[in-house]
Amino acid sequence: MIKKILVIARKSMKLTILFAISIFLIICAVVLFFKPIYSVSINGEQVGYTGDKIKLQNRINTYTEGEEDEENKNIAFVQIPTENLPEYKLCLLKRNVVTNDEEIFEKIKQSGVSYYKYYAILLEEEEKAYVSDFSAAEEIVAKLKEKNSDNIDKISILELYRPEMAELSDVEATVAALYVEKKVVEQPVNTNKKVANKKVSTSTNISYQKVPLGVNLIRPISGTITSRFGARSSRRVSNHTGLDIGAKTGTPIKAAASGTVKFSGSKGSFGYMIVISHGNGIETYYAHCSKLYAKAGERVNQGEVIAAVGNTGNSTGPHLHLEVRVNGVAHNPQNYVY
């Protein structure tokens, strides 16, 4: 009985070895003559073969993310219809089968629609100009705000994604096209010092030390500095207590910071002058004006037009005399503006 079992076991072992050898020979033949490869189909139609599915798909992903076209940085993404996306099927084919990744990629690109990213400058929700990046759009808004454009509250920025690229505009050209000069209602010069005007310091005490003001000042006007703080002149009995900025008569003067008008009227050698109190003993002076728009006691906002450049008082030409005073002592305006 045992002998019979051993005979059967030997026969089974021989069959197993023969089967294993056959499988090994088949595998060797497959490896020798065939290779694993991916068949690629688009919309149900076979378009070729790729040996590296991951590499091809990564390239397609890079293309759809807008990174394939290095020359056009405004492409945000490329949209490919779902039916035109590739489908992969693993198969064993003869080793002489040629892959065509480039042709497959180009076929996929043909159905892609590029979407461009840029920014629109809106005026009352109407698109007026286009720029390539957000920093340029912010610069346009900032310049219009600095120029105190009358329409600044109606200007906004919109991020766009569109299948066509708009014609981009230059920053300065856009600012010039959108700028609207603020309309001011001229008021008669307030020469009655008894109406709401408070006493203002005309002390010649000056300090060259820069002290913290606690407020940020902007330039009241743009122009050429004609006389600096502390300068001596035959027209003065003391050092210059302010900064002179030359500009045409009538040039709008803006409040350097928000505050309350402490004085608006005529003040001897200062001519027509406005003084704004910003709190904590901080005051700004605007002298030699031709017109005064803000009245004493009024609250004004930073950038609001308060007066116009003139040549009144002890002046040899149209300019703004600007002073920054802290508790009555004059400090160099150039430590804070210009």
mmCIF file of all heavy atoms in Angstrom, residues 297-331:
data_model
loop_
_atom_site.group_PDB
_atom_site.id
_atom_site.type_symbol
_atom_site.label_atom_id
_atom_site.label_comp_id
_atom_site.label_asym_id
_atom_site.label_seq_id
_atom_site.Cartn_x
_atom_site.Cartn_y
_atom_site.Cartn_z
ATOM 1 N N GLY A 297 -13.963 125.369 12.052
ATOM 2 C CA GLY A 297 -14.933 124.535 12.748
ATOM 3 C C GLY A 297 -15.375 123.320 11.955
ATOM 4 O O GLY A 297 -15.973 122.398 12.505
ATOM 5 N N GLU A 298 -15.070 123.286 10.630
ATOM 6 C CA GLU A 298 -15.476 122.157 9.806
ATOM 7 C C GLU A 298 -14.547 120.962 10.016
ATOM 8 O O GLU A 298 -13.359 121.132 10.276
ATOM 9 C CB GLU A 298 -15.475 122.528 8.323
ATOM 10 C CG GLU A 298 -16.607 123.441 7.907
ATOM 11 C CD GLU A 298 -16.611 123.704 6.409
ATOM 12 O OE1 GLU A 298 -15.601 123.372 5.734
ATOM 13 O OE2 GLU A 298 -17.614 124.224 5.913
ATOM 14 N N ARG A 299 -15.106 119.768 9.862
ATOM 15 C CA ARG A 299 -14.329 118.530 9.889
ATOM 16 C C ARG A 299 -13.971 118.187 8.449
ATOM 17 O O ARG A 299 -14.836 118.158 7.565
ATOM 18 C CB ARG A 299 -15.155 117.398 10.496
ATOM 19 C CG ARG A 299 -14.482 116.029 10.496
ATOM 20 C CD ARG A 299 -13.398 115.936 11.522
ATOM 21 N NE ARG A 299 -12.716 114.643 11.465
ATOM 22 C CZ ARG A 299 -11.677 114.322 12.215
ATOM 23 N NH1 ARG A 299 -11.214 115.205 13.099
ATOM 24 N NH2 ARG A 299 -11.110 113.135 12.114
ATOM 25 N N VAL A 300 -12.674 117.977 8.164
ATOM 26 C CA VAL A 300 -12.234 117.651 6.807
ATOM 27 C C VAL A 300 -11.542 116.291 6.824
ATOM 28 O O VAL A 300 -10.938 115.882 7.820
ATOM 29 C CB VAL A 300 -11.273 118.721 6.243
ATOM 30 C CG1 VAL A 300 -11.997 120.034 6.037
ATOM 31 C CG2 VAL A 300 -10.059 118.908 7.144
ATOM 32 N N ASN A 301 -11.624 115.600 5.690
ATOM 33 C CA ASN A 301 -11.000 114.287 5.550
ATOM 34 C C ASN A 301 -9.664 114.401 4.837
ATOM 35 O O ASN A 301 -9.430 115.340 4.064
ATOM 36 C CB ASN A 301 -11.912 113.340 4.767
ATOM 37 C CG ASN A 301 -13.208 113.065 5.502
ATOM 38 O OD1 ASN A 301 -13.210 112.887 6.712
ATOM 39 N ND2 ASN A 301 -14.306 113.033 4.769
ATOM 40 N N GLN A 302 -8.782 113.456 5.087
ATOM 41 C CA GLN A 302 -7.490 113.416 4.394
ATOM 42 C C GLN A 302 -7.735 113.365 2.890
ATOM 43 O O GLN A 302 -8.517 112.577 2.394
ATOM 44 C CB GLN A 302 -6.676 112.200 4.834
ATOM 45 C CG GLN A 302 -5.273 112.169 4.249
ATOM 46 C CD GLN A 302 -4.483 110.970 4.749
ATOM 47 O OE1 GLN A 302 -4.884 109.824 4.541
ATOM 48 N NE2 GLN A 302 -3.359 111.223 5.414
ATOM 49 N N GLY A 303 -7.045 114.232 2.139
ATOM 50 C CA GLY A 303 -7.189 114.269 0.692
ATOM 51 C C GLY A 303 -8.272 115.208 0.200
ATOM 52 O O GLY A 303 -8.380 115.458 -1.003
ATOM 53 N N GLU A 304 -9.091 115.735 1.109
ATOM 54 C CA GLU A 304 -10.164 116.663 0.713
ATOM 55 C C GLU A 304 -9.571 118.019 0.332
ATOM 56 O O GLU A 304 -8.662 118.521 1.000
ATOM 57 C CB GLU A 304 -11.143 116.818 1.865
ATOM 58 C CG GLU A 304 -12.348 117.691 1.541
ATOM 59 C CD GLU A 304 -13.327 117.769 2.703
ATOM 60 O OE1 GLU A 304 -13.311 116.859 3.567
ATOM 61 O OE2 GLU A 304 -14.108 118.737 2.759
ATOM 62 N N VAL A 305 -10.067 118.608 -0.749
ATOM 63 C CA VAL A 305 -9.577 119.920 -1.196
ATOM 64 C C VAL A 305 -10.072 120.988 -0.231
ATOM 65 O O VAL A 305 -11.276 121.122 0.004
ATOM 66 C CB VAL A 305 -10.035 120.221 -2.634
ATOM 67 C CG1 VAL A 305 -9.610 121.632 -3.044
ATOM 68 C CG2 VAL A 305 -9.452 119.198 -3.605
ATOM 69 N N ILE A 306 -9.134 121.751 0.324
ATOM 70 C CA ILE A 306 -9.488 122.740 1.346
ATOM 71 C C ILE A 306 -9.204 124.175 0.904
ATOM 72 O O ILE A 306 -9.730 125.124 1.464
ATOM 73 C CB ILE A 306 -8.724 122.458 2.657
ATOM 74 C CG1 ILE A 306 -7.210 122.431 2.399
ATOM 75 C CG2 ILE A 306 -9.200 121.162 3.293
ATOM 76 C CD1 ILE A 306 -6.366 122.338 3.661
ATOM 77 N N ALA A 307 -8.323 124.329 -0.122
ATOM 78 C CA ALA A 307 -7.930 125.680 -0.550
ATOM 79 C C ALA A 307 -7.277 125.584 -1.925
ATOM 80 O O ALA A 307 -7.200 124.497 -2.515
ATOM 81 C CB ALA A 307 -6.970 126.300 0.475
ATOM 82 N N ALA A 308 -6.802 126.743 -2.421
ATOM 83 C CA ALA A 308 -6.112 126.788 -3.710
ATOM 84 C C ALA A 308 -4.821 127.586 -3.558
ATOM 85 O O ALA A 308 -4.754 128.557 -2.789
ATOM 86 C CB ALA A 308 -7.003 127.428 -4.775
ATOM 87 N N VAL A 309 -3.800 127.160 -4.276
ATOM 88 C CA VAL A 309 -2.496 127.828 -4.222
ATOM 89 C C VAL A 309 -2.640 129.283 -4.656
ATOM 90 O O VAL A 309 -3.390 129.613 -5.579
ATOM 91 C CB VAL A 309 -1.483 127.100 -5.130
ATOM 92 C CG1 VAL A 309 -0.200 127.925 -5.292
ATOM 93 C CG2 VAL A 309 -1.155 125.719 -4.564
ATOM 94 N N GLY A 310 -1.895 130.160 -3.962
ATOM 95 C CA GLY A 310 -1.954 131.577 -4.310
ATOM 96 C C GLY A 310 -0.643 132.284 -4.041
ATOM 97 O O GLY A 310 0.416 131.652 -3.895
ATOM 98 N N ASN A 311 -0.727 133.618 -3.953
ATOM 99 C CA ASN A 311 0.464 134.451 -3.787
ATOM 100 C C ASN A 311 0.167 135.590 -2.821
ATOM 101 O O ASN A 311 0.641 136.713 -2.977
ATOM 102 C CB ASN A 311 0.880 134.984 -5.165
ATOM 103 C CG ASN A 311 2.215 135.679 -5.150
ATOM 104 O OD1 ASN A 311 3.069 135.368 -4.321
ATOM 105 N ND2 ASN A 311 2.408 136.647 -6.043
ATOM 106 N N THR A 312 -0.643 135.289 -1.799
ATOM 107 C CA THR A 312 -1.061 136.325 -0.855
ATOM 108 C C THR A 312 -0.071 136.420 0.305
ATOM 109 O O THR A 312 0.688 135.502 0.581
ATOM 110 C CB THR A 312 -2.467 136.012 -0.302
ATOM 111 O OG1 THR A 312 -2.451 134.734 0.330
ATOM 112 C CG2 THR A 312 -3.500 135.983 -1.418
ATOM 113 N N GLY A 313 -0.111 137.559 1.021
ATOM 114 C CA GLY A 313 0.795 137.762 2.150
ATOM 115 C C GLY A 313 2.205 138.065 1.692
ATOM 116 O O GLY A 313 2.436 138.608 0.605
ATOM 117 N N ASN A 314 3.178 137.738 2.519
ATOM 118 C CA ASN A 314 4.586 137.982 2.196
ATOM 119 C C ASN A 314 5.082 136.861 1.287
ATOM 120 O O ASN A 314 5.651 135.873 1.729
ATOM 121 C CB ASN A 314 5.410 138.023 3.486
ATOM 122 C CG ASN A 314 6.862 138.396 3.223
ATOM 123 O OD1 ASN A 314 7.213 138.828 2.128
ATOM 124 N ND2 ASN A 314 7.711 138.213 4.227
ATOM 125 N N SER A 315 4.858 137.047 -0.017
ATOM 126 C CA SER A 315 5.168 135.993 -0.991
ATOM 127 C C SER A 315 5.710 136.625 -2.264
ATOM 128 O O SER A 315 5.268 137.705 -2.668
ATOM 129 C CB SER A 315 3.907 135.178 -1.294
ATOM 130 O OG SER A 315 4.123 134.277 -2.350
ATOM 131 N N THR A 316 6.656 135.942 -2.895
ATOM 132 C CA THR A 316 7.252 136.467 -4.144
ATOM 133 C C THR A 316 6.781 135.704 -5.368
ATOM 134 O O THR A 316 7.262 135.949 -6.467
ATOM 135 C CB THR A 316 8.787 136.373 -4.069
ATOM 136 O OG1 THR A 316 9.166 135.016 -3.857
ATOM 137 C CG2 THR A 316 9.325 137.250 -2.948
ATOM 138 N N GLY A 317 5.859 134.769 -5.179
ATOM 139 C CA GLY A 317 5.344 133.978 -6.292
ATOM 140 C C GLY A 317 4.370 132.934 -5.779
ATOM 141 O O GLY A 317 4.338 132.624 -4.588
ATOM 142 N N PRO A 318 3.533 132.403 -6.647
ATOM 143 C CA PRO A 318 2.531 131.425 -6.209
ATOM 144 C C PRO A 318 3.180 130.154 -5.648
ATOM 145 O O PRO A 318 4.014 129.531 -6.299
ATOM 146 C CB PRO A 318 1.731 131.121 -7.486
ATOM 147 C CG PRO A 318 2.635 131.508 -8.608
ATOM 148 C CD PRO A 318 3.457 132.649 -8.104
ATOM 149 N N HIS A 319 2.819 129.806 -4.440
ATOM 150 C CA HIS A 319 3.339 128.587 -3.807
ATOM 151 C C HIS A 319 2.521 128.284 -2.563
ATOM 152 O O HIS A 319 1.743 129.120 -2.090
ATOM 153 C CB HIS A 319 4.825 128.756 -3.427
ATOM 154 C CG HIS A 319 5.067 129.688 -2.284
ATOM 155 N ND1 HIS A 319 5.056 131.074 -2.421
ATOM 156 C CD2 HIS A 319 5.319 129.432 -0.964
ATOM 157 C CE1 HIS A 319 5.296 131.627 -1.244
ATOM 158 N NE2 HIS A 319 5.465 130.653 -0.336
ATOM 159 N N LEU A 320 2.713 127.077 -2.049
ATOM 160 C CA LEU A 320 2.106 126.682 -0.781
ATOM 161 C C LEU A 320 3.179 126.699 0.296
ATOM 162 O O LEU A 320 4.242 126.090 0.132
ATOM 163 C CB LEU A 320 1.501 125.279 -0.875
ATOM 164 C CG LEU A 320 1.101 124.636 0.478
ATOM 165 C CD1 LEU A 320 -0.039 125.412 1.127
ATOM 166 C CD2 LEU A 320 0.738 123.178 0.303
ATOM 167 N N HIS A 321 2.910 127.417 1.366
ATOM 168 C CA HIS A 321 3.769 127.377 2.550
ATOM 169 C C HIS A 321 3.140 126.369 3.511
ATOM 170 O O HIS A 321 2.048 126.593 4.046
ATOM 171 C CB HIS A 321 3.862 128.765 3.198
ATOM 172 C CG HIS A 321 4.579 128.760 4.520
ATOM 173 N ND1 HIS A 321 5.945 128.809 4.628
ATOM 174 C CD2 HIS A 321 4.094 128.715 5.797
ATOM 175 C CE1 HIS A 321 6.281 128.797 5.915
ATOM 176 N NE2 HIS A 321 5.162 128.745 6.647
ATOM 177 N N LEU A 322 3.823 125.245 3.724
ATOM 178 C CA LEU A 322 3.297 124.161 4.556
ATOM 179 C C LEU A 322 4.076 124.087 5.863
ATOM 180 O O LEU A 322 5.309 124.080 5.857
ATOM 181 C CB LEU A 322 3.414 122.817 3.816
ATOM 182 C CG LEU A 322 3.056 121.562 4.622
ATOM 183 C CD1 LEU A 322 1.558 121.532 4.959
ATOM 184 C CD2 LEU A 322 3.447 120.308 3.857
ATOM 185 N N GLU A 323 3.342 124.043 6.967
ATOM 186 C CA GLU A 323 3.990 123.880 8.268
ATOM 187 C C GLU A 323 3.402 122.679 9.001
ATOM 188 O O GLU A 323 2.209 122.367 8.858
ATOM 189 C CB GLU A 323 3.786 125.130 9.150
ATOM 190 C CG GLU A 323 4.566 126.341 8.673
ATOM 191 C CD GLU A 323 4.558 127.474 9.704
ATOM 192 O OE1 GLU A 323 4.125 127.220 10.856
ATOM 193 O OE2 GLU A 323 4.974 128.591 9.360
ATOM 194 N N VAL A 324 4.248 122.027 9.774
ATOM 195 C CA VAL A 324 3.817 120.963 10.687
ATOM 196 C C VAL A 324 4.228 121.402 12.081
ATOM 197 O O VAL A 324 5.422 121.566 12.360
ATOM 198 C CB VAL A 324 4.470 119.608 10.335
ATOM 199 C CG1 VAL A 324 4.073 118.555 11.373
ATOM 200 C CG2 VAL A 324 4.058 119.157 8.948
ATOM 201 N N ARG A 325 3.262 121.626 12.946
ATOM 202 C CA ARG A 325 3.563 122.107 14.294
ATOM 203 C C ARG A 325 3.089 121.092 15.340
ATOM 204 O O ARG A 325 2.015 120.495 15.210
ATOM 205 C CB ARG A 325 2.913 123.472 14.550
ATOM 206 C CG ARG A 325 3.580 124.615 13.776
ATOM 207 C CD ARG A 325 2.991 125.954 14.130
ATOM 208 N NE ARG A 325 3.648 127.043 13.398
ATOM 209 C CZ ARG A 325 4.543 127.870 13.929
ATOM 210 N NH1 ARG A 325 4.873 127.749 15.226
ATOM 211 N NH2 ARG A 325 5.093 128.831 13.216
ATOM 212 N N VAL A 326 3.906 120.936 16.370
ATOM 213 C CA VAL A 326 3.590 120.068 17.504
ATOM 214 C C VAL A 326 3.611 120.932 18.758
ATOM 215 O O VAL A 326 4.668 121.472 19.124
ATOM 216 C CB VAL A 326 4.592 118.909 17.638
ATOM 217 C CG1 VAL A 326 4.219 118.017 18.826
ATOM 218 C CG2 VAL A 326 4.638 118.088 16.359
ATOM 219 N N ASN A 327 2.447 121.125 19.342
ATOM 220 C CA ASN A 327 2.306 121.999 20.515
ATOM 221 C C ASN A 327 2.888 123.383 20.248
ATOM 222 O O ASN A 327 3.562 123.977 21.087
ATOM 223 C CB ASN A 327 2.976 121.367 21.739
ATOM 224 C CG ASN A 327 2.296 120.076 22.163
ATOM 225 O OD1 ASN A 327 1.077 119.972 22.093
ATOM 226 N ND2 ASN A 327 3.088 119.104 22.568
ATOM 227 N N GLY A 328 2.645 123.898 19.036
ATOM 228 C CA GLY A 328 3.055 125.243 18.656
ATOM 229 C C GLY A 328 4.457 125.348 18.099
ATOM 230 O O GLY A 328 4.826 126.388 17.556
ATOM 231 N N VAL A 329 5.290 124.318 18.228
ATOM 232 C CA VAL A 329 6.673 124.345 17.728
ATOM 233 C C VAL A 329 6.703 123.777 16.312
ATOM 234 O O VAL A 329 6.166 122.699 16.051
ATOM 235 C CB VAL A 329 7.612 123.532 18.645
ATOM 236 C CG1 VAL A 329 9.033 123.523 18.088
ATOM 237 C CG2 VAL A 329 7.596 124.099 20.058
ATOM 238 N N ALA A 330 7.340 124.496 15.389
ATOM 239 C CA ALA A 330 7.413 124.069 13.993
ATOM 240 C C ALA A 330 8.453 122.971 13.821
ATOM 241 O O ALA A 330 9.577 123.076 14.311
ATOM 242 C CB ALA A 330 7.741 125.258 13.095
ATOM 243 N N HIS A 331 8.076 121.891 13.092
ATOM 244 C CA HIS A 331 8.963 120.783 12.777
ATOM 245 C C HIS A 331 9.097 120.662 11.265
ATOM 246 O O HIS A 331 8.219 121.083 10.510
ATOM 247 C CB HIS A 331 8.433 119.476 13.357
ATOM 248 C CG HIS A 331 8.535 119.394 14.863
ATOM 249 N ND1 HIS A 331 9.467 118.609 15.505
ATOM 250 C CD2 HIS A 331 7.837 120.036 15.846
ATOM 251 C CE1 HIS A 331 9.325 118.744 16.803
ATOM 252 N NE2 HIS A 331 8.340 119.609 17.038
#
